[in-house]
Amino acid sequence: MRWLEWLTERAVLAREFIESPVFLIQLAIVVIALGSAWYLAHRLERTQRLLSFTQRYPWAEILRGLVVRIAPPAGALALVVIGRGVMRAFGLATNLLDIALALIFALICVRAAVFALRVMLGRGSGIKGWESTIAIAIWTAVALHLLGWLQPSIDALSRPLARFGAFELSIWSVLKLLVIVGLFVVIARWLSKWIERRVSRAESLNLSMRASIIKISHFVLIIL
């Protein structure tokens, strides 16, 4: 199987790389960076509870939310950059730090993008409880792509579990279906909120008419 051969080759390369003393130095830098990010995230989580006054200012609430999500990985990124610079100054390899740098930067971009999507959709979008899950899922796909593992992973997940005529059921087909359904739900919620705002501002309609239009639009979008 192609994906099994690929996995065996990567395991051999990883073993040779791990046995190098330089790898342990890079690994220590990555562990310190991730530990610092975890500590910073914990401190920010406790601090934001004390900043309840920002709820009175929407822009401050958004800025606080962005900082809480971006600051920990940004701190880890800074430590990795410093460690990478020091190792390069001594002429040492930085393979692992280069990978960590790309993955952490991707995490920052994904977290910022998902948070921006949540802000655009509004409080009632339902994405708040799924924000971390969505960010992790997207970052995992991006990380696999950066590492060159995306296609082998797709090949492994595409192995058929069952056949129904011409249709083959696989983990990959189920994941694609879930993603498509999730996108349609997000788009439907966004359109629903947009219609609700537009109708609420229509002064020519009475309150009962506005409520009816909003309910019908919600129902139609959910059905679609």
Side-chain angles (χ1 to χ4, degrees):
M1 298 179 184
R2 188 174 63 177
W3 68 271
L4 188 57
E5 294 175 357
W6 174 89
L7 187 61
T8 304
E9 292 175 359
R10 290 299 183 276
V12 173
L13 293 174
R15 181 178 178 180
E16 295 176 355
F17 181 55
I18 291 173
E19 291 176 351
S20 171
V22 178
F23 170 81
L24 298 178
I25 299 175
Q26 296 181 75
L27 182 61
I29 294 173
V30 172
V31 170
I32 292 172
L34 295 179
S36 301
W38 176 85
Y39 176 77
L40 181 57
H42 180 68
R43 296 295 300 178
L44 287 173
E45 185 66 26
R46 294 184 60 183
T47 302
Q48 72 169 342
R49 296 172 185 172
L50 304 176
L51 300 177
S52 57
F53 69 90
T54 58
Q55 296 178 357
R56 291 176 290 179
Y57 308 99
W59 63 268
E61 181 76 8
I62 294 173
L63 181 61
R64 184 186 71 172
L66 183 62
V67 169
V68 168
R69 288 160 178 80
I70 297 304
L77 184 70
L79 291 177
V80 171
V81 168
I82 294 172
R84 180 172 174 268
V86 172
M87 292 195 67
R88 286 204 165 186
F90 284 95
L92 300 174
T94 58
N95 309 66
L96 180 61
L97 295 182
D98 293 340
I99 294 173
L101 200 63
L103 295 180
I104 295 173
F105 181 73
L107 178 61
I108 293 173
C109 295
V110 169
R111 294 224 64 182
V114 174
F115 178 70
L117 177 64
R118 172 190 160 187
V119 172
M120 287 189 297
L121 293 177
R123 293 180 179 273
S125 63
I127 197 175
K128 181 178 180 180
W130 291 90
E131 181 182 349
S132 297
T133 303
I134 294 172
I136 291 173
I138 296 175
W139 178 78
T140 300
V142 173
L144 290 174
H145 173 71
L146 293 175
L147 295 171
W149 298 353
L150 183 59
Q151 191 57 49
S153 299
I154 293 175
D155 293 339
L157 295 175
S158 298
R159 297 178 61 190
L161 300 176
R163 286 185 173 86
F164 303 95
F167 176 75
E168 294 183 346
L169 179 65
S170 64
I171 298 176
W172 180 242
S173 63
V174 173
L175 289 176
K176 287 195 295 184
L177 178 61
L178 291 175
V179 170
I180 293 173
V181 171
L183 287 175
F184 274 113
V185 170
V186 169
I187 294 172
R189 285 182 176 273
W190 181 81
L191 288 174
S192 175
K193 285 293 178 182
W194 181 79
I195 294 173
E196 182 177 346
R197 288 194 297 268
R198 298 282 293 183
V199 172
S200 298
R201 295 172 184 171
E203 298 180 356
S204 58
L205 301 175
N206 56 47
L207 292 177
S208 60
M209 183 64 71
R210 295 179 192 176
S212 299
I213 294 175
I214 291 172
K215 289 180 180 179
I216 293 174
S217 65
H218 286 184
F219 176 77
V220 171
L221 288 172
I222 291 174
I223 295 299
L224 292 177

